[in-house]
Structures are given as C-alpha cells and as structure tokens.
Amino acid sequence: MLITNEKQADGYYQALLNREPSYVGVFFVGVKTTSIFCIATCRARKPKRENVVFYTHFKDAMDAGFRPCKVCRPTENTHEAPYEVQVAINLIRDCTKAKITDQTLRESGIRPIFVRRWFNQHYGMTFQTFQRMYRINYAFQELKTGKTATSTALDSGYDSLSGFGYTFKKLLGHAPTLNLENAVILIDRLTTPIGPMFVCATEEGICLLEFVDRRMLETEFEDLQRRLKAPIVAGENAHINQLKQELAEYFSGKRSEFNVPLHTPGTDFQNAVWQMLGTIPFGETASYQEQATRLDNPKAVRAVARANGMNRVAIVIPCHRVIGKDGSLTGYAGGLERKRWLLDHEKAHGQNLVKG
Ligand SMILES: [Zn+2]
C-alpha cells in the first residue's frame, strides 16, 4: 500500500534519515529520481523528501516501477534471505540480459522450488515475476532517462555498471526504419488495483494498454512499432492523461464506458471484432460463438477468438467480457484471475450504475 498520510510519511522520512533499524521491513521507500527502493537503514546518500514515496510492502514498490537498491538490498535484508536466495538474486543483478531459468539455478546449485517458495512467502510473488518486473522496471527507467542511464547507475549506488548492459531493445525489439519524421509512440506506466500496466499512445489515440506481466508483451511492442513505423519512447500526452483519469473512475466503479480516442492498427476483420467487443455492455458477457454470429460469420469462431487475443487495448476494448459457451472463463492474456476480477467488479457496479 502507498502511504498517503503525510504525517506518517514524514515520520518514515525521519526514520530514513536516522537509519532506524526498527523500521526495516516496516516501510519500503521509493526514490522517484532513480526508480530504486530502499529500506530504512540504507547507507546510500539520502534522497530529498519531495523525491520519495513510501510503501508498506515490497511488492507495492515493485508494482509502482521501483527496483531493489543494490546498497541496502531490501530483498535480502528485510527477511534474512537464505544463501540460495541471495545467489539467485545476484544472478539477476549480474546478468540482466539473459533470463535466469530453473536450469540456470540448478547449474548454480540452487533449488528452484526453494527460491520460488521463499519469494512467494515473503514478497507475494514468484521468483520469475520478480525477475521479470526487475527487468521491466529497469528497462522503463532506462527509457525514461535515455543516455543518462550511466549517471543514474552511479547515483543510485550501483558500484558496478555490469548490470547495466541490458537495453530496452531487448524488451522492445529493434525499432523499424522510420519513414515519418518525429512520429513516436509514447509509453507510460500506471498502477491499478490488479497490477501495474503499460499504456502507449500516438497523437491519434491510445494504441496499447497491457498488464506489465502480460505474456508476449515484447511481441506486441515489436508488432506495434512495425505497424505504426514509429519507435516507442517514454512520455505522456493528453490521451494518456485522459485514459489514466477514466481508468481511475472505472476502477472505483464510477465509469462503465471509455471516451478516450483509440488508435488500433490491424486488419479489417480484427477491427470489426474489436468494435463488436465494445458493444458488449458493462456487467455482461458474450461467447465467441455469439460474437461470430453477430459478425454474420457464425463459422468464424476461432478467427474471432484469435482476433480477441490480438487486442492490445485491455479493459478499454473489453475482451475480458468474452467467455466460453458453457460460462467458463477460457483465456486471458493478463491472467484468468484478473479476468475474473474485472467481471466481478463490473457485475457489482453495473447494477449501481444503471440504478444511479
Ligand atoms: Zn538502499
């Protein structure tokens, strides 16, 4: 949880300045200028009050885009991490380019199950999730700071630059050759009650909204850059700001439809499917079969399902409202738990909104 009480935050800030051991694990402090988070006792130079935010949990700090500090090592020091966990974390830090698989862990004499269990127990996430978020947070920060990544590294206590070999290219793929001057896709991050998301927009409108841990996210980024012939760079515009506002209203149950303009490059068929998705009312569901029939193409069930899966603007284009004929949730790129959450949320608030 983000600490919003100013008085409490001031108290934590004082504890941070004093390096109070009794506050280790009580709060995690995110430093906005470096996207690093620390525990109270960190030896690194203390950030200014206006540049910090406080969280009650490790995962909250990661969700908000911060990475664990290399000086105070919140991962290991909040809960005396056993040797195997420490080695696993070091592997991620020293090798930000390659994915650390179970195989890699085993080769280093580490039991993957043990590490996974430890992360689940202490931080509410799997080791793989931790690794993925670490990378994504790193890459996003790198994108934001551009060429200043090196100074960011030194500033935040990274005594070695070895961990900074990872570039956003790895995540985004290679930007295509551009024909349009100045055309860019802007990317920003936001947090929701069910996890952090990336949002992308062009001047025309929102072109992507996805959970940061969505499978195949890298492929989507590449695809988007290729289709729009524009590179992804960090930033925000009016569409992104409008979306953030509307999403906040959606999540608080006050909004059932989105008005923000969309920019959804795709085939005619895909666009027809996406358009159709928008006609399933808030709080209701439809089956792939029903969608195909509505498109006057009852045999195209699988093609409809595929186009559904290609939707890049989650929630706003409500592909989560399509379920199996028998009522089963079938699939969701953001994970079935999120799909269930969204449907429950809409069901609960749909009635209120209609009556209100
Ligand atoms: Zn620190």
Side-chain angles (χ1 to χ4, degrees):
M1 199 177 64
L2 172 71
I3 302 295
T4 49
N5 180 322
E6 278 302 308
K7 234 175 150 183
Q8 191 178 5
D10 286 343
Y12 285 174
Y13 186 67
Q14 201 52 50
L16 179 70
L17 293 182
N18 299 343
R19 302 192 168 112
E20 293 271 1
S22 58
Y23 282 82
V24 169
V26 172
F27 67 76
F28 294 91
V29 56
V31 184
K32 288 187 262 181
T33 44
T34 56
S35 287
I36 298 289
F37 73 93
C38 291
I39 49 179
T41 49
C42 188
R43 287 179 288 106
R45 191 157 49 82
K46 297 297 180 184
K48 288 184 184 148
R49 173 71 183 88
E50 65 264 31
N51 290 332
V52 298
V53 280
F54 295 92
Y55 297 95
T56 48
H57 290 92
F58 182 90
K59 187 173 183 297
D60 301 329
M62 292 285 281
D63 275 354
F66 297 98
R67 279 169 303 124
C69 170
K70 272 199 168 181
V71 175
C72 61
R73 307 192 162 200
T75 333
E76 291 128 279
N77 290 326
T78 322
H79 304 275
E80 294 285 324
Y83 177 73
E84 284 175 82
V85 171
Q86 289 183 29
V87 174
I89 292 165
N90 285 340
L91 282 174
I92 295 181
R93 286 203 184 118
D94 296 343
C95 183
T96 37
K97 267 182 191 161
K99 192 176 163 198
I100 309 298
T101 59
D102 282 1
Q103 184 59 31
T104 328
L105 292 178
R106 273 187 226 108
E107 279 162 13
S108 309
I110 300 166
R111 291 165 295 166
I113 286 188
F114 178 79
V115 172
R116 244 197 308 278
R117 205 174 288 150
W118 192 90
F119 266 86
N120 261 324
Q121 201 174 345
H122 294 286
Y123 295 120
M125 65 176 87
T126 65
F127 177 65
Q128 292 304 340
T129 305
F130 169 77
Q131 181 176 179
R132 191 136 203 261
M133 290 192 65
Y134 187 95
R135 293 238 164 85
I136 284 178
N137 290 351
Y138 173 71
F140 185 61
Q141 172 65 16
E142 198 177 49
L143 197 64
K144 276 201 299 191
T145 54
K147 290 214 159 65
T148 67
T150 309
S151 54
T152 306
L154 296 171
D155 221 2
S156 53
Y158 281 69
D159 48 5
S160 141
L161 287 177
S162 60
F164 274 70
Y166 184 80
T167 70
F168 212 67
K169 262 197 199 128
K170 182 85 182 161
L171 182 67
L172 298 178
H174 291 274
T177 330
L178 313 176
N179 343 356
L180 299 165
E181 248 179 66
N182 301 328
V184 292
I185 302 162
L186 295 171
I187 186 170
D188 200 6
R189 247 186 99 107
L190 54 93
T191 49
T192 77
I194 48 175
M197 301 183 88
F198 277 130
V199 53
C200 292
T202 61
E203 283 195 348
E204 225 172 284
I206 299 295
C207 54
L208 180 141
L209 178 66
E210 293 283 18
F211 291 98
V212 303
D213 55 8
R214 180 215 202 279
R215 56 172 204 261
M216 306 292 282
L217 185 63
E218 293 87 344
T219 313
E220 272 198 343
F221 283 142
E222 280 184 48
D223 185 51
L224 195 60
Q225 290 184 120
R226 204 174 45 238
R227 281 172 185 277
L228 295 177
K229 295 186 171 54
I232 296 179
V233 299
E236 54 188 310
N237 64 12
H239 300 312
I240 290 180
N241 290 332
Q242 185 181 346
L243 177 79
K244 284 181 180 173
Q245 175 67 34
E246 292 186 3
L247 259 189
E249 290 163 4
Y250 169 86
F251 276 107
S252 63
K254 291 181 191 126
R255 173 178 287 276
S256 58
E257 276 175 21
F258 292 86
N259 303 327
V260 65
L262 300 180
H263 184 186
T264 55
T267 64
D268 289 348
F269 182 75
Q270 286 172 337
N271 271 297
V273 170
W274 296 336
Q275 203 98 47
M276 189 65 77
L277 285 171
T279 64
I280 310 172
F282 181 92
E284 290 177 27
T285 54
S287 68
Y288 293 109
Q289 182 67 63
E290 284 165 341
Q291 290 296 90
T293 306
R294 282 212 220 150
L295 283 166
D296 293 325
N297 204 344
K299 290 212 173 107
V301 180
R302 294 182 75 166
V304 166
R306 214 163 30 239
N308 232 34
M310 298 294 280
N311 172 30
R312 288 179 219 99
V313 193
I315 302 178
V316 176
I317 295 178
C319 58
H320 59 277
R321 291 182 197 149
V322 181
I323 58 172
K325 239 187 197 166
D326 57 355
S328 63
L329 286 179
T330 63
Y332 192 56
L336 284 184
E337 279 313 305
R338 288 199 178 107
K339 184 170 184 173
R340 194 190 318 277
W341 193 100
L342 291 169
L343 292 176
D344 288 350
H345 172 76
E346 294 185 359
K347 217 172 176 182
H349 291 283
Q351 286 149 354
N352 296 346
L353 283 170
V354 171
K355 275 178 199 153

